[in-house]
Amino acid sequence: MLRLLLGLALLGLAEALPFEQRAFWDFSLDDGPALPADQEEASGIFPTSGVPDFEDVVPTYRGLCPFGCHCHLHVVQCSDLGLSMVPKQIAPDTKLLDLQNNQIRELHQDDFKGLHHLYALVLVNNRISQVHPKAFSPLHHLQKLYISRNLLSEIPPALPPTLQELRIHDNRIRKVPRGIFRGLTSMNCIEMGGNPLQNSGFEPGAFDGLKLNYLRISEAKLTGIPKDLPATLNELHLDHNQIQAIELEDLIRYGKLARLGLGHNAIRMIENGSLASLPLLRELHLDHNRLSHVPPGLPGLRLLQVVYLHANNITQVGVNDFCPMGFGVKRAYYNGISLFGNPVPYWEVQPATFRCVTDRLALQFGNYKK
């Protein structure tokens, strides 16, 4: 029962989850479905290790709950109440504070005073345009900050050094200044899509000193792959932008990538040798672009297992476009290649083209229909 109440308090966060492919044909899930319970730790929503269980801690301040809110143990839910400011009388032992879907316009210096144990703060879908430089100073244990769908023109300053996950998409942010992440040494996820960010908006050194696992900058105004993102990235998603080409030096910095999302751009050209910088790549999304041929270098990516190339302008598929030549060359077998929605005469493609694919169900080809 207690876990059910906690799940309800977090229901509004589900649509903000990063894309997690559970099967090759889940093409329609790129906007981020809710994950099953056994994958929730990877999503960063529910802590399953390193923090006390909500059911195991006896609340100290049983009678303290803001008017109109629902409070149970360490969860305070004040969503959908039309609030114009952060409510007072929040129990100091609160671990999750849900303030989404209100009319809050500003975060003041003392709004979160005394909330030293707060683990997750949800401010999604308000009207916040101003954040006091010291608004988050009392939050010594904050790990999750969800402040998407507001009116912010800049990333809030002085983020807590304990922060692991920042979701700030669908705001009005145009610049990522140098030093904005100063004090944060390691993070799991930053989601900043849906902001009018251009390549020039990333100041040199904006991510200096930050070890980051997952970054998504979708639905922005990028015309190329930013060159100064954290080199530690395991996942980078730049879908729904205006990127037109991938040049040789664009990916050199990101050699640890396992998943790269570049779907829904305007990519016409991928320079030969560009993908060789990604020896650990397992999944590549290049769907809904303007490619006229299969990107060069795929056979050399020994760990690559999934390639999305549907909805491009590919007219020919060569016998060695996907698999290495010769015998005894070790590489992982593909378990997914999508080529549908391309003007390829599929009857002319040699069967040996897909010799390093697990089985025919892993390949979606199909005829091209205008």
Side-chain angles (χ1 to χ4, degrees):
M1 181 61 182
L2 299 180
R3 291 188 179 278
L4 177 60
L5 290 172
L6 177 58
L8 291 174
L10 287 170
L11 184 61
L13 303 181
E15 63 180 351
L17 296 180
F19 167 68
E20 183 68 28
Q21 179 180 325
R22 288 167 284 174
F24 171 60
W25 304 125
D26 291 345
F27 297 111
S28 63
L29 302 182
D30 283 320
D31 291 331
L35 302 185
D38 60 350
Q39 297 181 30
E40 284 173 349
E41 183 170 14
S43 76
I45 299 296
F46 291 89
T48 58
S49 59
V51 296
D53 192 291
F54 287 107
E55 296 179 8
D56 296 337
V57 185
V58 178
T60 307
Y61 304 90
R62 291 184 182 271
L64 208 56
C65 185
F67 179 76
C69 301
H70 298 280
C71 304
H72 188 80
L73 291 183
H74 302 279
V75 176
V76 177
Q77 185 180 9
C78 302
S79 60
D80 301 278
L81 295 178
L83 300 174
S84 60
M85 61 182 63
V86 176
K88 307 300 181 184
Q89 302 298 314
I90 299 173
D93 59 350
T94 298
K95 293 184 179 296
L96 187 150
L97 177 58
D98 180 6
L99 295 168
Q100 64 182 314
N101 301 326
N102 281 292
Q103 299 293 322
I104 300 172
R105 296 178 178 272
E106 184 175 355
L107 299 182
H108 303 92
Q109 179 175 353
D110 296 329
D111 279 349
F112 306 110
K113 185 178 181 180
L115 300 183
H116 305 304
H117 301 284
L118 198 65
Y119 175 87
L121 175 59
V122 186
L123 293 160
V124 176
N125 198 24
N126 275 275
R127 302 187 61 79
I128 300 170
S129 60
Q130 298 290 330
V131 178
H132 191 279
K134 295 184 178 180
F136 300 129
S137 296
L139 306 180
H140 302 316
H141 292 90
L142 190 70
Q143 293 195 29
K144 319 290 182 185
L145 176 58
Y146 301 93
I147 196 167
S148 304
R149 299 190 182 96
N150 278 280
L151 303 176
L152 293 171
S153 59
E154 58 184 16
I155 298 175
L159 295 169
T162 55
L163 199 64
Q164 291 294 307
E165 189 170 343
L166 174 65
R167 297 187 181 271
I168 196 167
H169 55 284
D170 292 332
N171 276 278
R172 300 176 177 180
I173 298 169
R174 297 181 178 273
K175 183 174 68 172
V176 183
R178 181 171 185 171
I180 190 63
F181 299 109
R182 185 177 291 117
L184 286 77
T185 56
S186 179
M187 292 184 67
N188 178 54
C189 169
I190 295 179
E191 163 65 89
M192 58 172 62
N195 287 289
L197 276 165
Q198 300 180 1
N199 287 72
S200 58
F202 294 88
E203 293 188 356
F207 294 91
D208 276 359
L210 179 64
K211 295 179 180 179
L212 181 62
N213 177 54
Y214 175 103
L215 176 63
R216 188 168 191 174
I217 314 172
S218 60
E219 300 179 82
K221 295 185 177 181
L222 301 178
T223 56
I225 297 176
K227 296 182 173 60
D228 201 22
L229 304 177
T232 57
L233 285 172
N234 180 259
E235 291 194 34
L236 175 60
H237 297 269
L238 302 174
D239 49 286
H240 293 86
N241 276 284
Q242 302 165 19
I243 300 172
Q244 300 182 25
I246 301 176
E247 299 179 347
L248 192 61
E249 69 275 8
D250 286 346
L251 297 170
I252 289 178
R253 180 177 173 85
Y254 311 123
K256 295 185 178 181
L257 283 178
R259 180 183 286 177
L260 176 60
L262 292 167
H264 293 269
N265 275 281
I267 299 173
R268 296 178 181 272
M269 186 273 293
I270 298 178
E271 189 172 353
N272 193 14
S274 300
L275 299 179
S277 303
L278 308 177
L280 303 180
L281 194 66
R282 295 178 179 271
E283 187 170 323
L284 177 62
H285 293 231
L286 284 166
D287 55 285
H288 293 90
N289 277 284
R290 300 176 184 175
L291 295 171
S292 59
H293 57 271
V294 176
L298 297 184
L301 300 176
R302 296 189 175 186
L303 300 180
L304 187 63
Q305 298 174 46
V306 174
V307 183
Y308 287 1
L309 289 169
H310 53 277
N312 275 279
N313 297 320
I314 298 172
T315 58
Q316 184 178 6
V317 178
V319 71
N320 295 314
D321 281 351
F322 293 97
C323 306
M325 294 183 291
F327 296 96
V329 180
K330 293 183 179 180
R331 83 169 315 282
Y333 278 90
Y334 291 99
N335 54 49
I337 295 177
S338 70
L339 281 163
F340 64 91
N342 283 286
V344 179
Y346 64 93
W347 56 89
E348 295 181 2
V349 179
Q350 299 297 316
T353 301
F354 305 111
R355 59 190 178 274
C356 55
V357 179
T358 53
D359 57 62
R360 62 180 184 179
L361 295 178
L363 176 66
Q364 187 163 3
F365 208 166
N367 199 359
Y368 176 73
K369 295 181 180 179
K370 265 293 187 183

